Structures are given as structure tokens and as C-alpha cells.
Amino acid sequence: MSNLPADYERILLVKPEVMVYKIGPRPSNRGYRAADWNLAKPDWKGRMRIISKSEQCIVRFEDISGALFGECLINEWPSVAVESVLDSCRYFVVRLSDPTGRHAFIGTGFSDRGDSFDFNVAISDHFKWLKNSKEAEQLTQNPTPSMDLSLKEGQTIKINLKNKYGEERRGSDSKPRSTGSFTGFLPPPPGSGRNNIGAIPRTGSNSMSQSAPVKSAPVATGNLLDDDWGDFSTPSSETKTDNQNKWVSFS
């Protein structure tokens, strides 16, 4: 703020259309009402410019040619220089001032509700910026002593890190987590061995051991080299018994 010249002006907001009304004295201690004005017939129409000059916020009412109709000086916010009416958010009572120190109150308003919102925000932001600038200037002139956070000789820091399970890592003192294998199949319910309907037969060494033993065919005896056809031996008694058991006798 101190680096800017005293006559430097910064434009905060421009509204091309604003309405001005001639109002009477305050009707009550509560405030003004826009319904008491003749809103359909404003006494003056023009544009509004809000500028900042030094630490002041100035609301200027100008006509189309740029001639000044009146201006409102605001030194703080909220201020008695700008007052909202009781029955609308689009209309305000503004105190105009002249170079001689005289002042007069007029009613002003906008046709759009968004314009009245911008009017309030522009003035409020100016004084917020002014406050932050003063605080930053004070910090520059009176800087706070910086804290020495470096480790001194012999000082250590202990950090306990947590893993994804929320447990602290304690180095070699932590117990190893058991890693069990999961095949994806649940064990059979109890008593399921009684009814093995649709069960798949097991294959392996146990099933092979329970199968019937394979009997070797009888080998013919005699000298096969002496005869081209060899000798035919009679079937053994065991073979006959097996063949007889395979036939079913009909009575």
C-alpha cells in the first residue's frame, strides 16, 4: 500500500445500469423499505463505478457521457454509508458526499439480483484485501524469529511406521505372520461318507491295489524247435474251474 501513489485509482466493479430514487427521511428506527419508493419511475438512471483510492472505497454514479452525478465514500465495512433496505436485496440507501462535507441520502437499486450481489462482494473484498495487506506489512517490518528445528549432536529420532494392517513394525521383535495355503475347496460336511451319490472314484495307488490280480496265461511245455507246430498241452484244472464258473446252467 505504501508503494502506491496517493492518487492511484483501481477499478473494482462497473455496472452499466443503476437506478436512483429520491427518498424522504427515515420512517422508523428499523430502516427503509423499497416499497415506499416509486420503483416504476426512477428519478435518475446511469452507470455505477466502484473504485479504490488509497484506503478508501468510492462508489460513483455517472451518466452515459461520464459526468459525475454523485459519489459515496466508504471508509469501513459494514458502513453507515451503505444500508440495505428491509424488504428487498436489490435496493440500498446510499449516502452521497460532496467536497464541502455535505451529504444526502438516496435510494439506489438494480434490475438484476446478481448485480446487487456483485455490489456487496466488491466492497467487502476491498476491505479484506486492505486488512491482509496491513497484516503482511506488519510481518515484514517485525518478522517473527525462526525456530531452529535441526538435530543437535547426539540427538536421534525414533519413527514407528505402520504396515497396511495397521500394526507397527518393531524390527526383529515382531512375530512372523503365518502363511497358510488355501486351495479354494471347502472340506466335506460331516457324515458325507454314508451317501456317496455322484462321487468321483479315486484313482491312484490305493485303487490299483484293490483290483483283482492279473493271471498269467499257461505256457505250453515241450520242445517247440522239434516240431513246427509244437505240442498242445491240456488246460490245467484251475483254468477249467474258471471257465465253468463263467457259464450259467439252466434248469
Side-chain angles (χ1 to χ4, degrees), residues 11-17 47-51 115 122:
I11 299 177
L12 304 179
L13 180 69
V14 176
K15 289 298 178 181
E17 183 180 3
R47 72 178 182 183
M48 173 190 289
R49 281 200 311 146
I50 302 178
I51 64 173
D115 294 338

Side-chain angles (χ1 to χ4, degrees), residues 30-42:
R30 296 183 57 186
Y32 292 90
R33 294 175 58 89
D36 299 334
W37 310 339
N38 190 3
L39 301 179
K41 295 181 180 180

